[in-house]
Structure formats: structure tokens, C-alpha cells
Amino acid sequence: MAPQDDSVFQAYVDALIRDDPPRVWSFIVTIFGDLAQAPGSQISGSVLTRITELAGIKPEAMRVAIHRLRKDGWIDSRKYGRTSTYSLTEYGRTLSAEASPRIYGAAAETPALWHLLIAGNSQDSADKLLELQALSGSYIELGGNTVLGPGPLPDNTAGFFALQGTSLSVPDWLRSQICPPELGTACHQLYTALTQITAHLSDTPANSKLEAATLRALIVHSWRRVVLRHPALPDFFFPPGWPGNKCRSLVQQLLEELPRPDMDLLEQEGQTSIMPPADVTMKD
Amino acid sequence: MAPQDDSVFQAYVDALIRDDPPRVWSFIVTIFGDLAQAPGSQISGSVLTRITELAGIKPEAMRVAIHRLRKDGWIDSRKYGRTSTYSLTEYGRTLSAEASPRIYGAAAETPALWHLLIAGNSQDSADKLLELQALSGSYIELGGNTVLGPGPLPDNTAGFFALQGTSLSVPDWLRSQICPPELGTACHQLYTALTQITAHLSDTPANSKLEAATLRALIVHSWRRVVLRHPALPDFFFPPGWPGNKCRSLVQQLLEELPRPDMDLLEQEGQTSIMPPADVTMKD
């Protein structure tokens, strides 16, 4: 287990980012969700700067994103002397906690029951369906005013046509709607990247807690962009060969190999230097 | 049980027709379906003329309709000297036999299973759904490209999203779609007419086989126009108070009180006179 040189870390980053760098705002949400989701948990400005820089994001872009996240009520900031620290607001923490089971948890089991709701042509009924969809997050659209969800009929189906059933058959057009070509490509590319990193990480682990935190965040972020694009659904809703659940296994394996760093040690590393560790730079 | 006078028969006819005389073409189809559906069965031109005249249809309108029914392949004609006789073609007999169970049979039982099919946006899939709908006649539309049918999923659901279920909930908008206001009104009016005729028929029965055949045809025709406007469905698909099944019971009761006349005796009556029976005209 030799420590990696800089180019290995960069190769990991490149494999995950490809030509499509993460949106900074969204990447910072991922970092907070991964490192500081617990109440009272916070991240200093220096650590955030280091992690985002390691992920190829310019400090200026990070500052803009932080500003927007504060404005949108996702994060709070505090000043201790010259140091700013940031933490999720109650709102940010709630949204983050809602997404976590989908990102970090096991694959969806096939529900024993399904239900289908159809809103009529009235605006009232259509609005009610949208509201229900937004609240649950587990519905998929089957065309105008029709949604399918797992489990039994909800209590109040007034205004909807509702059918509860056990057997269903998923056509190709629905598979393509749930997983359009660009999402299929993204998932296959993520699978390739995760396979490459898995093959090398045990031989060339991260050099520092900051690099480990950055890799974790990039892995979680890339996976999050795939897995949150559709509700939790069994494999037969996806085109044949869909590597979603293989990605999930590799993500879980990699996150075990790159355990969540102790925040105090991460902060120490973040304060000591904004340059890469000396043993790596000397190798160049 | 006094024989009715002419005004009683006319009151029966008026109650059934109201301000909405039957379309002649369609009424003749009803007559054939009721009196001459069996292979080899035929009706003479004179009997058809007498029945349609008793129903308030002009001979000229009947001739036009007969011409159209022959042209459309519903009926065949034969000449015996000066007399023409008409019979259903194989095609007409098939369509007539398909509709009979819905018209003369028992009310729909609530199926233990339902299935719902959704065609995608492709023309292919939508066409396949229309074809399936046309073949089965038991589907109801739930908005664009979506149908609900009784029973288990059909064998071939390729191209459709399909859900098979047991519990369903029917909203008001679907009830209004299955039974729009004008159909509700027609059904309530038919119920009123059938109730009135039921109240009087045992005291003042039909004077002749021709009148009985005419009343049968008008009753069946009015009912057919209500019952074939939607697939066979349990009561909970209809607005509260829908008298569909009450109409069905009265229709069945009235058809027992006005049994299908023997065709030979009906033909004898049809050939003897084109005037109303003497005992009735003398009363005036």
C-alpha cells in the first residue's frame, strides 16, 4: 500500500468528473451531507476551500456558491476571529437527511403492492396530484395526470381514479422515460470510473484526509446525480444492462475504503497548509 | 284485462319516444335483433312497414333506411312475387348477437380483478390500444392512451404499461365521463316511461301482435341506446341514483309481458290489413 502520487489522485478526480465538473452549489450540498449532516456539525471555510480546490473548483466560484447557499437558507455561517465556519440550517439538514437513504442505503426492494392515481382534467385535481408527488417523491409519471407509486393506496384518493395492484408490466417507453439515454450514459460512465478507482485504491490510497474527503464527496456527488434522477425502483423499470445497482455496490465499497474522516483531524489538516503534502510534491 | 284503445298504445309509444324519435336505420336493426336474429329468420316488407309506422316512422323514411342497411351489408332482401322479405346478413347477425347479452342479459357483476393499460406516445402503441379496445368493447377510457378493463391482464401487453389490481376508487369526474348529463337524463326519462308502461300494461295489454312487436322494439331500442353507451360496469361507476339497473329490471319484466310474437302469426297480421284492427277503429 504505497501512498499515491499526485497524478493518481488527479486520475481519480478526472475519472469521476470527466468533462462535466459538478455544479459548485450542488457539490457543496453533497460535502455537507457527507461530512456535517449531524446537528452541531460544522466545516471551516479553509477545509471547504481545500476540498473544492482539490475537486477542480476555483475559490471564487466556491465563494459565490456559499453566498447563494446562505441566501437560499441551506447553510449558516459564523465567524471566529479570521475564520468562518459553516453549518447546515435546519432546512438544509432536513432535505439532506431525506436524500441520504437513497444515496447511502440499500437498493429498492420490489414492493408487494403498487398503486396508480389519475387526476381528472380539473386544475384542482391535477394540483392535488402534483402536491402528493412532491410530498412523497416516490411517484413516477406515466403521462399526463397519471402517477404510479409503491405500496397501498393512500388514505385520501378523493378526486383521483385509483387502482391498487400487484402485477405490473413495464414497457420499453417507460424504461426510456425513467432512464433517458443521457442518464444511461452517465450511469455507465460512473460505473467505469468506480471500477477503475476500486481497482487501484487499495494499492494507492488517498494521501491525506482532505483528499479522502474530496474523493468521498466526488463519489457521493456523482452517484447522487444518477440515483436521485428517478424514484427508488426495482431493476425491471430500467433498460436491460442498467448498472445502477452495480454502481451502488461499488459506491458503498469505496466509501468503506475511504472512511468519513474525523472532523477535528480534517480541520487540523485544513489549517496547516494550502499546498499538497510535502512528501508528494517532493516526488515530482 | 281490457284491450287498450288506440290512445293507450299511442301513450306507450309517446312515453318511449318523447321528443326524440329513434333513428330509423338503428331502429330497424333493433327490430331484426329482437324478432329475426336466428339464422334463416326473415321479416316481410309489410310487417316492417307496419311496425315502423306504428312507431311513428314514415314509409318513405323506412325505405331509405332499408336501402342503406342493404348497402352497408347489414341486411339481405329477397322477392317472392310482389312481396319482399328481409333478413340479417352474416355480418349483421354477428354484430346483433354481440350486443344481445348487454341488452337482454343480467347486470354486470363486479369483477374480482381489473387491469389498466397505458399506451406510450408512439403511434404504434396508441393504435394497438385502440384495436384492443375495439375488439373487446369492455374498456373504458381514463384519458389519453389509458384504458381500464375487467379481468386479468391480457396475454400480450407488450408496448403497454400494465397494472393488474383488485381495489379501485372511482372519482366523480370519471362517473360524469361514463355517464354525461344527457345520458343521465335519458336514463331517468326511460325509467319514468318504463314505470308508466309497467303500471298500465297488465290492465291494457297490446291489441295485436304488431303492436306488441312495436312496443318490444321501442322498449329494447330505448334501453339499447342507454346501455350500449358505456361498457358493462358495476353501479359504483355511475353517478349516485343512476337508474340503469332499475331500467334493466323493468325492461326484462316488460319483455316477459310482451312475449316475442310467433313470426308466422305476425306475418299473417301484417298481410291482412295495413289499417289498425277493426275493433279499435270502430271504437273511435
Side-chain angles (χ1 to χ4, degrees):
Chain A
M1 296 236 296
Q4 66 186 37
D5 68 22
D6 228 25
S7 65
V8 171
F9 174 76
Q10 197 53 50
Y12 293 161
V13 171
D14 291 347
L16 289 164
I17 291 182
R18 294 180 52 90
D19 309 327
D20 191 18
R23 277 187 297 161
V24 185
W25 187 92
S26 175
F27 184 60
I28 293 174
V29 166
T30 300
I31 296 172
F32 274 96
D34 193 50
L35 295 180
Q37 200 181 114
S41 213
Q42 46 186 32
I43 309 179
S44 70
S46 352
V47 164
L48 276 181
T49 307
R50 294 295 304 281
I51 292 176
T52 47
E53 273 185 330
L54 284 168
I57 293 164
K58 297 210 158 50
E60 173 58 20
M62 192 207 76
R63 278 193 293 273
V64 171
I66 288 280
H67 180 75
R68 197 182 136 201
L69 282 163
R70 286 177 58 192
K71 211 175 121 220
D72 292 352
W74 266 87
I75 61 173
D76 275 337
S77 69
R78 275 194 188 182
K79 273 222 166 215
Y80 299 97
R82 284 179 56 209
T83 313
S84 287
T85 65
Y86 302 91
S87 57
L88 286 172
T89 60
E90 203 51 42
Y91 167 76
R93 196 183 323 286
T94 304
L95 292 183
S96 201
E98 272 174 19
S100 285
R102 295 286 319 282
I103 300 170
Y104 296 95
E109 287 184 23
T110 303
L113 280 178
W114 296 92
H115 66 274
L116 184 139
L117 303 174
I118 305 180
N121 286 326
S122 84
Q123 197 54 47
D124 239 30
S125 185
D127 287 351
K128 210 181 131 202
L129 194 66
L130 280 177
E131 196 182 311
L132 198 71
Q133 250 181 300
L135 278 175
S136 114
S138 61
Y139 284 108
I140 53 173
E141 278 193 43
L142 295 177
N145 289 350
T146 303
V147 299
L148 175 76
L153 287 178
D155 287 340
N156 183 5
T157 58
F160 303 137
F161 169 82
L163 175 64
Q164 175 181 300
T166 47
S167 314
L168 51 76
S169 155
V170 177
D172 286 343
W173 59 260
L174 183 55
R175 292 199 182 93
S176 308
Q177 180 189 308
I178 288 168
C179 179
E182 66 278 14
L183 181 58
T185 304
C187 192
H188 279 283
Q189 287 172 347
L190 176 60
Y191 179 60
T192 305
L194 294 171
T195 309
Q196 288 167 357
I197 299 173
T198 306
H200 293 100
L201 195 66
S202 53
D203 293 334
T204 51
N207 277 312
S208 65
K209 301 210 178 308
L210 282 167
E211 283 189 4
T214 305
L215 276 182
R216 277 186 70 90
L218 283 172
I219 290 166
V220 170
H221 191 72
S222 309
W223 171 233
R224 183 187 148 205
R225 284 173 64 189
V226 167
V227 76
L228 297 188
R229 282 275 297 278
H230 49 74
L233 290 168
D235 269 359
F236 60 84
F237 277 90
F238 295 92
W242 161 254
N245 282 324
K246 291 197 285 185
C247 283
R248 180 186 298 275
S249 302
L250 288 180
V251 166
Q252 291 179 344
Q253 182 183 329
L254 284 169
L255 294 185
E256 275 179 35
E257 291 185 43
L258 293 162
R260 197 172 271 122
D262 176 276
M263 286 305 284
D264 289 340
L265 300 178
L266 187 67
E267 287 297 345
Q268 277 178 28
E269 237 183 56
Q271 308 305 327
T272 49
S273 159
I274 62 154
M275 299 294 287
D279 59 345
V280 169
T281 45
M282 282 194 297
K283 273 193 190 166
D284 289 339
Chain B
M1 295 233 293
Q4 66 186 37
D5 69 21
D6 227 25
S7 65
V8 172
F9 174 75
Q10 196 54 50
Y12 293 162
V13 171
D14 290 346
L16 289 164
I17 291 183
R18 294 181 52 88
D19 308 327
D20 192 17
R23 276 186 298 161
V24 186
W25 187 92
S26 174
F27 184 60
I28 294 175
V29 166
T30 300
I31 297 171
F32 274 97
D34 192 50
L35 295 181
Q37 200 181 114
S41 213
Q42 48 188 29
I43 309 179
S44 70
S46 352
V47 164
L48 277 180
T49 307
R50 295 295 304 281
I51 292 177
T52 48
E53 273 184 331
L54 284 168
I57 294 165
K58 297 209 159 53
E60 172 59 19
M62 193 206 77
R63 278 193 293 274
V64 170
I66 288 280
H67 180 75
R68 196 181 138 203
L69 282 164
R70 287 177 59 192
K71 210 176 122 220
D72 292 352
W74 266 87
I75 60 173
D76 275 337
S77 68
R78 273 193 190 184
K79 273 223 162 211
Y80 299 97
R82 284 179 56 208
T83 313
S84 287
T85 65
Y86 301 92
S87 58
L88 286 171
T89 59
E90 203 50 45
Y91 167 76
R93 196 183 321 286
T94 304
L95 293 183
S96 200
E98 273 175 19
S100 283
R102 295 287 317 284
I103 300 170
Y104 296 95
E109 286 185 21
T110 302
L113 280 178
W114 295 92
H115 67 273
L116 183 140
L117 303 174
I118 305 180
N121 287 325
S122 84
Q123 197 54 48
D124 240 31
S125 186
D127 287 351
K128 212 182 128 201
L129 194 65
L130 280 178
E131 197 183 311
L132 197 71
Q133 249 181 301
L135 279 175
S136 114
S138 61
Y139 285 108
I140 53 173
E141 278 194 43
L142 295 177
N145 289 350
T146 302
V147 298
L148 174 76
L153 288 177
D155 288 340
N156 183 6
T157 58
F160 303 137
F161 169 82
L163 175 64
Q164 175 182 300
T166 47
S167 314
L168 49 78
S169 156
V170 177
D172 286 343
W173 58 261
L174 183 55
R175 290 197 184 94
S176 309
Q177 180 189 309
I178 289 168
C179 180
E182 67 277 16
L183 180 59
T185 304
C187 191
H188 280 283
Q189 288 172 346
L190 175 60
Y191 179 61
T192 305
L194 294 172
T195 310
Q196 288 167 354
I197 298 173
T198 306
H200 294 99
L201 195 66
S202 52
D203 293 333
T204 49
N207 278 312
S208 64
K209 302 212 179 304
L210 282 167
E211 282 188 5
T214 305
L215 275 182
R216 279 186 69 90
L218 282 172
I219 289 167
V220 170
H221 191 72
S222 309
W223 171 233
R224 183 186 148 206
R225 283 173 65 188
V226 166
V227 76
L228 297 187
R229 281 276 297 276
H230 50 74
L233 290 168
D235 269 359
F236 60 84
F237 277 90
F238 295 90
W242 162 253
N245 282 324
K246 291 198 284 185
C247 284
R248 181 186 297 278
S249 302
L250 289 181
V251 166
Q252 291 178 345
Q253 181 184 330
L254 285 169
L255 294 185
E256 274 178 37
E257 292 185 42
L258 293 161
R260 196 173 272 123
D262 177 276
M263 285 306 284
D264 288 342
L265 300 178
L266 187 68
E267 287 296 345
Q268 278 177 29
E269 235 181 57
Q271 307 306 326
T272 49
S273 160
I274 63 156
M275 298 294 285
D279 58 345
V280 170
T281 45
M282 284 194 297
K283 275 191 188 168
D284 289 337

